[in-house]
Amino acid sequence: MYLKTILLSLLLAFGSGVKAQVKPIVIATDQTSLVLTVDGNGRLHQTYLGRKLLNEAEYTALPQGPEAYLTHGMEDYYEPALHVNHADGNPSTLLTYTGHTAKALQQGVSETVVTLADPVYKTEVRLHYVAYAKENVYKLWTEITNGETKPVEIEKYASAMLHFNNAEYYLTQFNGDWANEANLSEQRLSYGKKVLDTKLGTRANMFVSPFFQLALDAPAQEEAGTVLTGTLGWTGNFRFTFEEDHTGRLRLIAGINPYASQYTLKKGETFRTPEFIFTLSYGGKGQASRNLHDWARTHSLKAGNGSRMTLLNNWEATYFGFDEEKLIGLIGEAKELGVDMFLLDDGWFGTKYPRNSDRQGLGDWTEIKDKLPNGIGRLTEEAKKQGVKFGLWIEPEMVNPKSELYEKHKDWIITLPGRREYHYRNQLVLDLANPKVQDYVFSVVDGLMTKYPDIAFFKWDCNSPITNIYSNYEGKEHQSHLYVDYVRGLYNVLDRIKAKYPDLPMMLCSGGGGRSDFEALKYFTEFWPSDNTDPIERLFIQWGFSQVFPVKAQCAHVTTWNRAASIKFRINVAMMGKFGFDIKLADMQKNEQDFCKKSISDYNRLKSTILDGDRYGLVSPYSGQHTATMYADKTKNRAVLFTFDIYPRNGEYRSNVTLRGLDAGRRYVVKEVNRMGNDDRQVGTYSGDYLMNIGLPVFTGAKMNSRVFEITAE
Ligand code: GLA
């Protein structure tokens, strides 16, 4: 029946030549509609993207809008979404509508697929649109099929293209460097192009994160205004292009960075692009972030609805300088602290070239005899005895030139023939385009899990970008496939791990936050946002990543960075995410040790609200010397408020902080908790209405001061 309707539409569209015979294709969430229409020539247009109209019939009255997925070589003069070089050398593609399907994937999730084809060349393009009704999130990707008898080359192959027609556009980007990730800056766009991209390959987002906020008509505000927050699920080179044309329209093109990545499609072959995920919020950046957090926990993040383990990591406590005895001591400290897991970091492996520094050993995944005479087994046994889980650091995609792996398998390594190797952090990247290398990387995890089934967690690191870009595997013809095939190879390995060890939690790390995207987070339960654990820096870094990722996925550890900040301040910053420690308990004063333990138990009480509740950024650290973040659970029964005074000015005026996410009609008991050396303090009982309109005087004039408030409905 459905097929018949489509066929009929097609006949009408092409048979009569009458404009708009195919009814508008409306792809809706509970709040937003994306409307596509087909013109009399069969070309597909994006007619609308915005707040859902009450009356669907009115979409037919809308002006047509620009072509939805613009191609190179035809009538358009700006950046295209697609550029195909056909087998005969013709570089142009014309796409016309051939049909569409729409179906429910599950309750509240629908998928629409629009098929377009070139009437002259046998190139077919399928635009996929998955709409998540309640979360108000869309996921878009594209499939490109070569129907010609000979290979074609795709030069540009966007996941998605969207068009806007607003008075003004404001783009917020998130850029930085190692230990300085995800800094926000906003700029007004004007005629021309703004590009956010990377060509770092593996550690793809060391300089710029794969997400952005696009505010329409006016600059983005926290809880007001129309903002599109978008991100690409791709653990490699990405590119977002924002181009405003001479008429003031803006186009957004999101996808793999086509830089040095022309891809040849054999006869019949289909290229599937990564997913571009976005939400369109009418309640500012804050609502956009909550939409994405809800979507991630429910539909995307690995174990999104599951629990997370608190931990003690040894990296900053010992660096490479540990042995069995020290680690056993730390496992005891993990137990004493009351965390769920002990995580052994870098420096435990390498036989011929023991990994006692970052200069050697990477690639040789057997224990260093001197340090661990009884192997990992002795450590998992000790952890078991102490009642804590055991986690292990690996960096299986990489190799130090000083390693047995390098000596044996030079052909597995990405290096340029005839040139001196360039080493980033003294290491090189393995060629994951090669299936043999994929097998090897899988075997690192599988081998460890087989030998030590009590390993309960991996921290998977990736400290180098792709350098010396040349693959022995791709051969002369397909060097430009490497950036794409690398990521596909990585997913192949991760798929195998997920299939064999479905419940194994893993942390994604890349010299801090150099890798963080929603495709990787289908395999990883969490990521390490930054090696910078100075709590003041972390206030900014966590604020940045929280614009997109739920805090459940953001590891936050207490360390000794910035000793001028109290242990309480450092702990309170870390409690706002997936809480852990990377510190030696034995080096602390007794009162500090006690406070660490108390904080774990406070966190265990509050964590369901923090990790699964709605996050409200009440006062941004970017706005001055104070910041406040609140988490409210979905039932509005419980909330937690974290407040921080950074470097307040003497005699400054401090206004109240108004809360959000409560029920105006209910009354709440507010307690200050997690106080060092003191019991909880009753602040008072207030209506939700009062707290959300009048607020509380939570900030102080003290420097580097933090407070935690527990808010419970009566
Ligand atoms: C990276 C990570 C750190 C640590 C070191 C170990 O820098 O981000 O957390 O694991 O590697 O070498």
Side-chain angles (χ1 to χ4, degrees), residues 410-479:
K410 192 73 199 290
D411 55 322
W412 284 5
I413 298 168
I414 298 177
T415 48
L416 280 163
R419 294 204 186 276
R420 198 166 61 87
E421 281 171 6
Y422 165 61
H423 299 158
Y424 188 100
R425 206 197 189 206
N426 315 303
Q427 64 194 61
L428 290 163
V429 181
L430 295 176
D431 185 1
L432 266 173
N434 183 342
K436 284 202 181 117
V437 178
Q438 294 167 20
D439 289 346
Y440 158 80
V441 175
F442 172 71
S443 79
V444 173
V445 172
D446 194 36
L448 285 162
M449 286 303 289
T450 307
K451 199 161 171 203
Y452 305 118
D454 286 329
I455 294 176
F457 183 93
F458 281 104
K459 173 177 176 182
W460 180 305
D461 214 334
C462 161
N463 277 296
S464 176
I466 295 183
T467 53
N468 315 283
I469 179 84
Y470 182 89
S471 160
N472 281 302
Y473 176 76
E474 300 278 15
K476 242 193 246 163
E477 283 188 0
H478 294 314
Q479 284 305 316

Side-chain angles (χ1 to χ4, degrees), residues 178 203 313 315 320 345-346 355 358 393 395 425 459 461 463 509-513 528 530-531 582:
W178 174 78
R203 192 173 167 172
N313 185 193
W315 176 242
F320 293 98
D345 215 281
D346 195 357
R355 175 87 171 169
D358 63 14
W393 181 96
E395 192 178 2
R425 206 197 189 206
K459 173 177 176 182
D461 214 334
N463 277 296
C509 178
S510 184
W528 181 233
S530 181
D531 279 348
D582 201 338

Side-chain angles (χ1 to χ4, degrees), residues 331-492:
I331 292 171
E333 288 194 0
K335 162 79 180 167
E336 201 190 325
L337 206 53
V339 292
D340 301 316
M341 177 174 60
F342 172 74
L343 170 63
L344 171 57
D345 215 281
D346 195 357
W348 58 268
F349 49 87
T351 308
K352 185 167 167 193
Y353 302 104
R355 175 87 171 169
N356 289 320
S357 77
D358 63 14
R359 309 196 74 81
Q360 62 181 47
L362 208 50
D364 304 340
W365 299 102
T366 43
E367 297 91 328
I368 300 177
K369 278 267 164 332
D370 293 350
K371 280 180 167 171
L372 300 174
N374 304 298
I376 295 292
R378 173 69 190 95
L379 303 175
T380 57
E381 181 192 293
E382 183 64 23
K384 216 177 197 171
K385 209 165 88 195
Q386 299 281 7
V388 292
K389 301 273 187 211
F390 182 86
L392 191 62
W393 181 96
I394 49 174
E395 192 178 2
E397 299 159 75
M398 306 277 161
V399 61
N400 280 130
K402 251 181 127 181
S403 69
E404 291 181 74
L405 182 66
Y406 182 97
E407 287 169 358
K408 259 189 253 154
H409 277 298
K410 192 73 199 290
D411 55 322
W412 284 5
I413 298 168
I414 298 177
T415 48
L416 280 163
R419 294 204 186 276
R420 198 166 61 87
E421 281 171 6
Y422 165 61
H423 299 158
Y424 188 100
R425 206 197 189 206
N426 315 303
Q427 64 194 61
L428 290 163
V429 181
L430 295 176
D431 185 1
L432 266 173
N434 183 342
K436 284 202 181 117
V437 178
Q438 294 167 20
D439 289 346
Y440 158 80
V441 175
F442 172 71
S443 79
V444 173
V445 172
D446 194 36
L448 285 162
M449 286 303 289
T450 307
K451 199 161 171 203
Y452 305 118
D454 286 329
I455 294 176
F457 183 93
F458 281 104
K459 173 177 176 182
W460 180 305
D461 214 334
C462 161
N463 277 296
S464 176
I466 295 183
T467 53
N468 315 283
I469 179 84
Y470 182 89
S471 160
N472 281 302
Y473 176 76
E474 300 278 15
K476 242 193 246 163
E477 283 188 0
H478 294 314
Q479 284 305 316
S480 63
H481 289 198
L482 179 55
Y483 283 126
V484 171
D485 287 350
Y486 185 94
V487 182
R488 289 179 170 174
L490 174 67
Y491 294 152
N492 174 297

Side-chain angles (χ1 to χ4, degrees), residues 180-197:
N180 180 28
E181 289 85 347
N183 296 286
L184 273 84
S185 62
E186 186 177 56
Q187 61 183 266
R188 183 172 171 182
L189 299 176
S190 57
Y191 179 87
K193 254 188 230 175
K194 165 80 188 179
V195 174
L196 296 175
D197 71 352

Side-chain angles (χ1 to χ4, degrees), residues 568 602 605-606 671-675 680 708-710:
K568 172 169 162 59
D602 283 344
R605 191 178 72 251
L606 303 172
K671 262 193 310 183
E672 187 184 345
V673 299
N674 197 246
R675 299 169 78 219
D680 295 349
V708 184
F709 299 91
E710 190 170 352

